[in-house]
Amino acid sequence: MRKSYAAVLTAVMGAVAVVASTTPSYAAANPASICGSGYSVIDSEKVSNGPAATSYLLWNGSSNCVVTIRATAGKATLMHAKLRVQGGSWKVDENDYTSYAGPVRAAANGTCVMWGGGINEASYTSGWEHCG
C-alpha cells in the first residue's frame, strides 16, 4: 500500500513532536537561563553519583545564584543546590528533580559565599570564596 506524501510527512512530524516534548529544554542545560537575566557563571564543580551533574555559581553584579544541573535529564532523583552568604544561613533547594535543582539566589555584594550542590549521595560544598 502506497502512502501519500502528506501522510508520511504527518507521521514524521508527529514523531519529531514526541521527541521534542521529551527532550529537556535549553534552559535545563544553561545555568544563566535558569538564574535569569544578567547572571554569568563564575565557578562550577562536577558532582556525580549515578547520573552526572555539575553545580554552578553565578553572579549578576550584586547577587549570586546556584544551580545543579544533570548532564542528561532522566528519572527524578534527589538533587540540591545551596548558597550561604557570610553572616547568614544556608538557602537550599532540595527535592527529586529530573534535570536541575535551584535556582537559589542571595544578595552578596561585598561578602564571601559558600555554595554547592549534589545529586543522590554525591555533593560539593565550597569554602568561603568569591569575596568582594
Side-chain angles (χ1 to χ4, degrees), residues 43 55-58 64-66 81-92 104-108 111-117 124-131:
D43 208 342
S55 289
Y56 296 91
L57 175 67
L58 296 89
N64 286 106
C65 177
V66 177
K82 61 186 180 179
L83 176 62
R84 181 178 178 193
V85 177
Q86 198 164 25
S89 58
W90 284 103
K91 292 185 175 193
V92 180
V104 178
R105 297 181 193 90
T111 62
C112 301
V113 297
M114 291 178 76
W115 64 280
Y124 167 76
T125 303
S126 76
W128 290 113
E129 58 186 27
H130 299 284
C131 304

Side-chain angles (χ1 to χ4, degrees), residues 31-126:
S33 294
I34 296 168
C35 285
S37 179
Y39 281 94
S40 299
V41 174
I42 59 170
D43 208 342
S44 65
E45 185 71 29
K46 290 186 180 193
V47 291
S48 176
N49 185 4
T54 302
S55 289
Y56 296 91
L57 175 67
L58 296 89
W59 173 251
N60 73 356
S62 62
S63 64
N64 286 106
C65 177
V66 177
V67 294
T68 300
I69 303 174
R70 290 173 66 165
T72 305
K75 181 181 174 189
T77 191
L78 185 63
M79 298 179 66
H80 72 272
K82 61 186 180 179
L83 176 62
R84 181 178 178 193
V85 177
Q86 198 164 25
S89 58
W90 284 103
K91 292 185 175 193
V92 180
D93 176 31
E94 181 176 54
N95 212 328
D96 289 337
Y97 292 113
T98 59
S99 55
Y100 65 90
V104 178
R105 297 181 193 90
N109 203 8
T111 62
C112 301
V113 297
M114 291 178 76
W115 64 280
I119 185 166
N120 295 328
E121 298 299 319
S123 67
Y124 167 76
T125 303
S126 76

Side-chain angles (χ1 to χ4, degrees), residues 3-21:
K3 291 187 178 186
S4 71
Y5 175 75
V8 171
L9 183 58
T10 300
V12 169
M13 294 308 291
V16 169
V18 168
V19 170
S21 69

